[in-house]
Amino acid sequence: MRLRRREFLKTTAAVSGGLIIGLQLPGCDKRESRATGETRIIQTNAWVRIGTDDSVTILVDRSEMGQGVYTSLPMLLAEELGVRMNRVKVEAAPADPAYTNALLGSQITGGSTSVRDGWMKLRTAGAQARRMLVAAAAKEWGIPISGIRVQDGVITSPRGKKLTYGQVAEAASKLPVPENVPLKSPANFRVIGREQKRLDTPAKVDGSAVFGRSEEHTSELQSP
């Protein structure tokens, strides 16, 4: 399926409520939380969940049918979020307009469109979540975000203070979603373009793989 640039922008606006580039990203203000024992799971946007135990869960909105989307799409988010792939858990996304494939017009997998559709959208979602987490840390320290570094989910101030993503996730979820966040230059990629172990293999080997999400499972998430 081939789309001209003008047709692509019109389709994106129609099915997602806004343009992917330059405007607030559709789905990135979908924030919820749930409790699992003593751990709170904070959903910073439609694709990223950060646990107070420092767990990182990425929701994948395309069906894994052997083509590797349960690894390739999390790579896009992990790159901009600033975490290594061995830190990432994957779950199937529920049915929701936020997960519309703009190239096909509905929440559908096919036509070799998963990475093409997600390339800017998922990287932007990761970058927005990262900026919110850094902003929450900066607010706690009472400093500007300039000079703050992130490495594998650990935020470090210019003076060496450290906070993990899990420690600031709840505070970050209360911040506005930033617009026009800068994305990494390919020269700085640490995840994209590098060989990664497939994230779906262990669950398929031991029989625990979940291939979809029911309404009952989706309802477990409660608004804060």
Side-chain angles (χ1 to χ4, degrees):
M1 181 176 182
R2 298 181 63 183
L3 291 176
R4 295 179 181 177
R5 180 177 181 274
R6 182 183 297 274
E7 292 170 338
F8 171 76
L9 295 177
K10 287 171 67 177
T11 301
T12 303
V15 301
S16 299
L19 299 182
I20 288 177
I21 302 173
L23 298 177
Q24 181 170 324
L25 187 68
C28 274
D29 204 26
K30 296 175 68 65
R31 291 179 271 184
E32 301 170 305
S33 67
R34 69 181 177 186
T36 304
E38 296 182 357
T39 299
R40 282 180 59 78
I41 307 297
I42 314 300
Q43 185 159 341
T44 58
N45 58 45
W47 291 276
V48 180
R49 292 184 191 151
I50 307 292
T52 53
D53 61 351
D54 290 325
S55 60
V56 177
T57 302
I58 291 176
L59 278 71
V60 175
D61 54 357
R62 300 291 170 257
S63 296
E64 174 59 78
M65 297 179 286
Q67 79 280 39
V69 293
Y70 266 36
T71 304
S72 59
L73 298 185
M75 285 172 65
L76 305 182
L77 279 151
E79 181 69 73
E80 299 292 346
L81 186 61
V83 295
R84 292 181 295 177
M85 288 291 285
N86 62 7
R87 293 273 312 279
V88 171
K89 295 185 292 184
V90 173
E91 287 188 15
D96 191 283
Y99 304 115
T100 294
N101 183 330
L103 296 176
L104 298 180
S106 63
Q107 188 173 341
I108 190 170
T109 305
S112 298
T113 60
S114 295
V115 172
R116 284 191 289 145
D117 174 64
W119 177 252
M120 291 299 297
K121 177 170 62 179
L122 299 184
R123 289 178 61 204
T124 301
Q128 287 178 321
R130 174 176 172 166
R131 174 63 67 88
M132 292 163 69
L133 292 158
V134 169
K139 185 175 181 180
E140 181 166 331
W141 290 325
I143 63 174
I145 64 172
S146 58
I148 292 179
R149 295 179 292 108
V150 172
Q151 184 173 0
D152 198 25
V154 178
I155 306 165
T156 305
S157 77
R159 294 192 174 186
K161 293 182 179 180
K162 296 180 185 293
L163 286 169
T164 66
Y165 278 179
Q167 289 175 312
V168 297
E170 196 150 10
S173 71
K174 296 177 172 62
L175 298 177
V177 178
E179 297 183 23
N180 302 318
V181 289
L183 302 181
K184 285 185 177 181
S185 163
N188 296 323
F189 284 169
R190 297 293 179 266
V191 177
I192 295 173
R194 300 194 178 193
E195 185 175 343
Q196 306 291 340
K197 292 183 178 180
R198 286 186 58 141
L199 298 183
D200 59 315
T201 300
K204 287 181 176 177
V205 170
D206 66 21
S208 63
V210 176
F211 293 89
R213 293 184 61 189
S214 66
E215 289 297 324
E216 180 181 353
H217 181 78
T218 302
S219 67
E220 292 177 3
L221 279 170
Q222 302 295 325
S223 297

